[in-house]
Amino acid sequence: MNDRPSASELLAAVERFLEETAVPGLDGPARFHARVAANVVRIVARELATEDLHLAREWDGLAALLGDDAEPPAARAGLREAIAARNEELVRRIRAGSADTGPWRTALLEHLARVVADKLDVAQPPRLAQEGTS
Amino acid sequence: MTPDEMRERLASFVAGEERLPASAVRAEGLRRLAGGASREIWSVDLAIERAPGRVETLALILRKDPPGRVGDGGDRGTEFRVLRAAARGGVAVPRVYWACDDASVLGSPFFLMERVEGETLPRRLLREERYAAARQALPGELGTQLARIHALDLEQPDLAGLARPPAGRSPARVEVERVALGLRELVVEPHPVLDLAERWLLERAPDPPSAGAPGSPPRVTLVHGDYRVGNVVVGEAGLRAILDWELVHVGDPLEDLGWLCTRAWRFGAPLPAGGVGTREQVVAAYERASGTRVDFEALRFWEAFGSFKLALVFVMQSRVYLDGRVRSVELASLGRRTVEAEDELLRFLRGAA
């Protein structure tokens, strides 16, 4: 176990530095990139706080859709890999036409809506702040 | 090349084009405005002494390919010719002056056009009080201007060189297949939503081209390719000029209307057409100016396609970072915007959009 400050406390310090010192002290593209960096730090902080819950939820949804109640891998990295493999299986079934109609499609859309809502909670796109893309 | 060398070469190029002595043209205030891997944009002022004591000054934008880039569509020569054709067709565009295909002058082909003053940043256009009147005018202006773009004669010499969609194929299907192929090549993780969206779009792709509701003749027209708030210059009274023509192509005209209404280009504002109007407002102006009818089902297809294409844009940009080509924090962050496109596509898939 690492010492305090914790990972999220350290990220909060970096975010504060970027917002309170770097952004006001810079201009032009560097100022814009400092803003983006602060936003990236916030994304990482939210991911740290929610990933266990979100991965467990996605795993359960996939298990129900695929009818496979194997135990989830205990380590986070293994769980991520296993979820990716199950998503590949979803993609195979979608491309084979299994999700074109019927109750499985309805269940699939509900599952994907939950997963996307979780991902959005982490990414939290800033409103009216998209001028950086061209 | 140093900025001084660039100014000198630019001045002597313009002097040559105008058949004036090199000393008659001065280039001042040269500065790089924006642009990344696919283009360079510079601001420059030219002072041209056409006769002793008679000096004409021009506020200009220089658009230039990055050095060494081989034209993979959207080269500056094409853009120059399209802008010239658009101006002749009554489209609000910056006036173009000179184009240079000779890479030895500035390192790559470039052209010079009028610098239209005004606001392009959506955040300011959609929020600030002084653009309230412009926001009222924009839906109608965007519809009318788009009708003029789509009315341009594709057989005129400036446009005849543009590639046409494959004969007998629906441009909509061609576009969906192109984006789907790009996604399959580039996504790092599986995205079931995007695969579902691909099938949804292929099933609904208008065929033949969809400018007309049933009964009107199908149309293939010039398509701007990036027609949206953010790519137009706006003054306090309304639209001044349409910019960013590098994705121009020939296709289904409703592609432009759908892109204008794509969720991301509302920048968080509630109104569906670019955050400034309703679909009905823009379509009414478009129909009046074009004399065609817009099929709202087809428009819905193209609006959903806009988010599908944006998913590819976000994936492509984050791959540039992941592959180590450009280590920019902005590119790195864009992969996490893919979910915005997925969210919007799900709304279409679930019948809520």
Side-chain angles (χ1 to χ4, degrees), chain B residues 200-221:
Chain B
W200 188 95
L201 289 164
L202 283 174
E203 198 183 310
R204 286 161 180 78
D207 187 290
S210 55
S216 13
R219 281 204 303 161
V220 171
T221 69

Side-chain angles (χ1 to χ4, degrees), chain A residues 68-90:
Chain A
D68 180 344
D69 55 5
E71 279 297 305
R76 213 187 258 180
L79 184 53
R80 285 199 202 104
E81 263 176 46
I83 286 175
R86 288 186 162 196
N87 278 325
E88 292 283 7
E89 176 59 24
L90 283 191

Side-chain angles (χ1 to χ4, degrees), chain B residues 71-84:
Chain B
D72 54 349
D75 61 285
R76 297 296 82 90
T78 301
E79 204 178 330
F80 180 85
R81 286 186 291 275
V82 168
L83 279 165
R84 193 162 58 185

Side-chain angles (χ1 to χ4, degrees), chain A residues 4-98:
Chain A
R4 297 276 295 270
S6 68
S8 50
E9 287 162 341
L10 291 172
L11 285 176
V14 176
E15 191 213 337
R16 211 161 31 244
F17 163 74
L18 287 167
E19 287 287 9
E20 292 172 11
T21 309
V23 170
L26 295 166
D27 51 34
R31 184 189 180 99
F32 171 70
H33 283 117
R35 276 224 174 84
V36 174
N39 192 46
V40 166
V41 168
R42 285 188 285 271
I43 290 175
V44 174
R46 287 192 293 265
E47 178 165 321
L48 279 176
T50 56
E51 192 181 12
D52 285 333
L53 172 69
H54 289 172
L55 289 177
R57 202 141 61 188
E58 187 167 4
W59 176 267
D60 290 346
L62 286 164
L65 280 171
L66 297 173
D68 180 344
D69 55 5
E71 279 297 305
R76 213 187 258 180
L79 184 53
R80 285 199 202 104
E81 263 176 46
I83 286 175
R86 288 186 162 196
N87 278 325
E88 292 283 7
E89 176 59 24
L90 283 191
V91 165
R92 266 192 297 278
R93 293 194 188 187
I94 290 165
R95 289 182 187 171
S98 309

Side-chain angles (χ1 to χ4, degrees), chain B:
Chain B
M1 190 182 313
T2 67
D4 281 345
E5 280 173 331
M6 196 168 156
R7 287 194 298 116
E8 257 169 50
R9 286 172 177 218
L10 199 55
S12 77
F13 164 75
V14 171
E17 291 289 297
E18 294 294 297
R19 297 195 175 79
L20 292 166
S23 61
V25 179
R26 276 178 302 121
E28 287 157 2
L30 179 72
R31 66 196 172 94
R32 176 100 184 248
L33 292 184
S38 64
R39 66 192 161 162
E40 291 179 15
I41 305 170
W42 299 75
S43 174
V44 66
D45 299 316
L46 287 187
I48 305 174
E49 190 167 13
R50 296 201 178 270
R54 193 164 68 83
V55 178
E56 178 190 7
T57 57
L58 295 174
L60 299 175
I61 292 288
L62 183 152
R63 288 177 68 87
K64 180 173 169 302
D65 290 328
R69 178 171 172 275
V70 184
D72 54 349
D75 61 285
R76 297 296 82 90
T78 301
E79 204 178 330
F80 180 85
R81 286 186 291 275
V82 168
L83 279 165
R84 193 162 58 185
R88 273 199 306 270
V91 180
V93 284
R95 179 178 167 190
V96 288
Y97 286 90
W98 307 276
C100 176
D101 288 333
D102 179 358
S104 72
V105 178
L106 293 185
S108 58
F110 66 90
F111 71 88
L112 289 153
M113 66 180 194
E114 174 192 4
R115 188 165 78 232
V116 180
E117 298 298 336
E119 188 57 74
T120 58
L121 289 180
R123 181 167 43 85
R124 296 195 189 139
L125 289 175
L126 296 177
R127 271 182 184 166
E128 291 184 5
E129 181 52 37
R130 62 189 163 130
Y131 296 117
R135 284 193 291 273
Q136 288 285 315
L138 270 171
E141 290 174 330
L142 287 166
T144 305
Q145 288 291 324
L146 194 56
R148 290 186 193 167
I149 293 171
H150 294 164
L152 294 176
D153 175 12
L154 291 172
E155 302 310 319
Q156 64 182 295
D158 275 340
L159 302 181
L162 292 169
R164 302 293 195 271
R169 296 214 58 207
S170 144
R173 283 191 76 86
V174 171
E175 284 292 301
V176 175
E177 285 166 9
R178 189 180 61 78
V179 171
L181 188 69
L183 282 167
R184 281 175 199 217
E185 279 172 12
L186 292 173
V187 289
V188 184
E189 326 79 9
H191 286 74
V193 174
L194 300 181
D195 286 275
L196 283 170
E198 177 187 337
R199 296 178 78 82
W200 188 95
L201 289 164
L202 283 174
E203 198 183 310
R204 286 161 180 78
D207 187 290
S210 55
S216 13
R219 281 204 303 161
V220 171
T221 69
L222 190 73
V223 173
H224 178 281
D226 202 2
Y227 195 76
R228 61 177 176 88
V229 169
N231 286 341
V232 291
V233 183
V234 176
E236 291 185 8
L239 189 144
R240 283 192 181 156
I242 295 156
L243 306 177
D244 291 291
W245 291 74
E246 67 259 29
L247 298 175
V248 70
H249 58 278
V250 176
D252 185 331
L254 283 202
E255 182 183 343
D256 277 332
L257 269 177
W259 188 242
L260 174 66
C261 296
T262 295
R263 186 180 195 86
W265 307 135
R266 301 168 202 164
F267 299 93
L271 288 167
V276 293
T278 63
R279 294 177 189 86
E280 288 75 13
Q281 283 176 299
V282 175
V283 164
Y286 181 85
E287 288 183 336
R288 231 179 355 258
S290 68
T292 64
R293 301 281 294 167
V294 169
D295 174 358
F296 274 83
E297 262 313 293
L299 177 59
R300 188 163 167 270
F301 161 85
W302 282 111
E303 194 178 311
F305 173 77
S307 288
F308 189 57
K309 189 162 100 177
L310 265 178
L312 176 62
V313 170
F314 292 138
V315 167
M316 268 168 57
Q317 286 171 319
S318 67
R319 274 300 289 266
V320 172
Y321 172 79
L322 289 171
D323 296 348
R325 279 175 282 160
V326 181
R327 298 233 174 254
S328 137
V329 67
E330 187 198 3
L331 288 174
S333 71
L334 289 172
R336 294 299 181 100
R337 290 197 57 192
T338 314
V339 66
E340 293 172 49
E342 288 184 300
D343 180 49
E344 179 66 355
L345 287 168
L346 266 179
R347 285 158 40 80
F348 283 99
L349 287 164
R350 303 173 90 200

